[in-house]
Amino acid sequence: MQTVSSVLDSISDVGRDTTRGGYSRGVHTPAESSLREWFTGEAEARGLAVETDRNGILWAWWDATDSRDGALVTGSHLDSVPGGGAFDGPLGVASALVALDLLRERGVQPQRSLAVTVFPEEEGSRFGVSCLGSRLLTGTLDPDAVRALTDTDGTTFAEASRAAGIDPSHLGRDEEAIRRIGDFVELHVEQGRGLIDLDSAVAIGSTMLGHGRWRLSITGQGNHAGTTLMADRADPMVAAAQVVLAVRKAAAEQDGARATVGRLQPVPGGTNVIASRVDLWLDVRHEEDAVTAALLERIHGQAQKICAFEGCRATLTEESRSGTVHFDGALQRTLGNALGRSFPGAPTLPTGAGHDAGILGAVAPTAMLFVRNPTGVSHSPEEFVERDDADAGATALADVLDDLL
């Protein structure tokens, strides 16, 4: 039987980013498409029936009954942030496949169907909307707006979907898929360092921090870098630099808040050109949705003042937003009972990251397992999971699935 690490080793060369380090596996890119083909091959080698739904979600079925409705579903995603680590997403997919192997090795006879899923564009790294596949499935995104989303090269999501063999005209809420999800359990690499300090290989997720993404467009006057006097400039880059600092200050003044500018794009982007516009993307998170909204408003107000002083204008556009999620209490207790046999005392931890399990919680009971990350670093090449911990996570997932089947 394969270990989780051996499964992951088989995709270790896919999507390597020689510029950033780590992996860049944007949705519907050659790297992500290769990973989808890899998953299909792994699933079919295990005798699973693989299908792609209307929103590009992969489902690999172990059909135990005549009905797929109310199935037990597990899985994660295969796309990555730019220059991401090897485990964010793929660990959950590989662990699900190995957990299935363990169930069969134990001679488990399921009383319900089981599906291993792969959700597209969980990170939102190409088209800017996180958990896009699960949001489409649950109907929390407007399909027309999604089809019109563009990447940095101007390719629309509709065009990218069509090139990947997915008809974009069918995107949207999927009642058939929703009926299939009786319970959803997602295993994920820990994106912090709680478990190393607690000396535990696995944990049960309790809550998912509310968060959102916004684009702030700062417009000034494009001009020549050499002929425009400093006193005559309306430079959006100068305003953007001050906004970045204001974001950090505003978040630091609010207990429990996180606010990040992780991407900034000047237009036209020439070395000897004063930009005409600078777009920056803002990520804001807090466990209380009202605090997130108030913090965003504070940042927006500061941005308006800064831009006015610099002779610029600021426009804020929401790209995605999710409230704080409390994972299903009954399902958490089931996970605790299942882990009590092999992992007694497994802790319960909140997560500051977003996950498909949080989105699916609106239509079905969902839960999460986290596997220890000794570095505490994620969304970076330094993200790490020990081989023994990866196998412990698959065992924990198998124990949970065994109880739920």
Side-chain angles (χ1 to χ4, degrees):
M1 190 183 77
Q2 290 180 289
T3 64
V4 174
S5 294
S6 66
V7 175
L8 290 174
D9 286 346
S10 67
I11 57 172
S12 62
D13 290 331
V14 181
R16 282 195 176 274
D17 192 321
T18 57
T19 301
R20 301 181 181 95
Y23 297 89
S24 292
R25 297 161 165 171
V27 68
H28 299 329
T29 62
E32 193 254 5
S33 296
S34 293
L35 292 178
R36 289 170 66 90
E37 293 175 6
W38 162 84
F39 172 77
T40 299
E42 289 284 337
E44 290 179 344
R46 289 168 168 82
L48 307 183
V50 182
E51 61 183 39
T52 304
D53 71 13
R54 60 191 290 178
N55 293 305
I57 301 166
L58 289 170
W59 300 73
W61 287 96
W62 184 16
D63 290 317
T65 69
D66 292 335
S67 174
R68 291 179 174 178
D69 288 352
L72 177 57
V73 183
T74 187
S76 193
H77 62 98
L78 292 171
D79 65 300
S80 77
V81 298
F87 301 93
D88 184 353
L91 179 69
V93 175
S95 297
L97 294 171
V98 173
L100 175 66
D101 296 341
L102 288 169
L103 292 173
R104 286 174 163 168
E105 188 177 73
R106 296 174 185 178
V108 172
Q109 298 297 318
Q111 300 304 304
R112 64 199 292 204
S113 292
L114 172 69
V116 179
T117 54
V118 174
F119 290 92
E121 187 70 332
E122 193 268 359
E123 299 291 3
S125 62
R126 183 174 180 187
F127 291 97
V129 179
S130 62
C131 299
L132 189 144
S134 54
R135 289 178 192 270
L136 281 170
L137 182 154
T138 56
T140 58
L141 287 177
D142 176 2
D144 287 334
V146 171
R147 282 187 278 267
L149 291 171
T150 58
D151 65 9
T152 55
D153 294 326
T155 301
T156 66
F157 189 81
E159 291 167 340
S161 296
R162 194 175 294 110
I166 298 166
D167 186 348
S169 67
H170 297 314
L171 297 176
R173 183 176 171 91
D174 190 338
E175 296 294 346
E176 179 184 359
I178 290 171
R179 286 195 305 271
R180 291 173 170 182
I181 307 172
D183 298 288
F184 180 74
V185 180
E186 181 175 4
L187 180 146
H188 204 277
V189 61
E190 180 192 17
Q191 294 176 287
R193 53 170 295 111
L195 287 174
I196 192 69
D197 295 331
L198 293 169
D199 193 28
S200 178
V202 296
I204 299 167
S206 57
T207 59
M208 190 182 82
L209 204 63
H211 64 283
R213 295 182 184 184
W214 292 264
R215 183 179 73 252
L216 184 66
S217 294
I218 301 175
T219 305
Q221 177 60 62
N223 216 324
H224 194 292
T227 62
T228 310
L229 299 177
M230 300 305 289
D232 295 338
R233 300 184 178 203
D235 189 341
M237 186 66 82
V238 173
Q242 295 175 65
V243 169
V244 171
L245 295 175
V247 167
R248 177 180 177 179
K249 184 174 185 293
E253 292 172 348
Q254 177 65 59
D255 288 344
R258 286 90 150 154
T260 307
V261 176
R263 179 180 166 205
L264 187 148
Q265 184 174 318
V267 178
T271 304
N272 59 344
V273 178
I274 299 169
S276 58
R277 189 181 82 246
V278 174
D279 294 328
L280 57 87
W281 281 262
L282 176 66
D283 181 302
V284 181
R285 307 182 187 224
H286 193 274
E287 63 180 352
E288 296 181 29
D289 299 337
V291 175
T292 301
L295 178 58
L296 177 69
E297 186 62 30
R298 195 178 317 139
I299 291 169
H300 188 203
Q302 286 293 316
Q304 295 282 9
K305 291 179 182 178
I306 291 167
C307 288
F309 182 81
E310 294 294 340
C312 299
R313 300 181 305 279
T315 303
L316 187 69
T317 304
E318 181 178 309
E319 294 196 336
S320 66
R321 189 197 299 233
S322 298
T324 291
V325 173
H326 296 266
F327 292 114
D328 185 80
L331 199 50
Q332 283 187 58
R333 289 189 289 274
T334 298
L335 266 62
N337 291 334
L339 297 188
R341 296 187 292 273
S342 302
F343 302 92
T348 300
L349 291 178
T351 177
H355 301 283
D356 291 309
I359 304 301
L360 296 178
V363 297
T366 63
M368 291 196 72
L369 290 172
F370 297 115
V371 177
R372 179 166 50 197
N373 175 357
T375 68
V377 175
S378 188
H379 283 185
S380 165
E382 284 76 37
E383 178 182 85
F384 188 64
V385 174
E386 298 282 359
R387 289 177 177 264
D388 287 347
D389 284 353
D391 289 335
T395 298
L397 180 60
D399 291 345
V400 167
L401 298 178
D402 195 347
D403 272 21
L404 290 167
L405 285 169

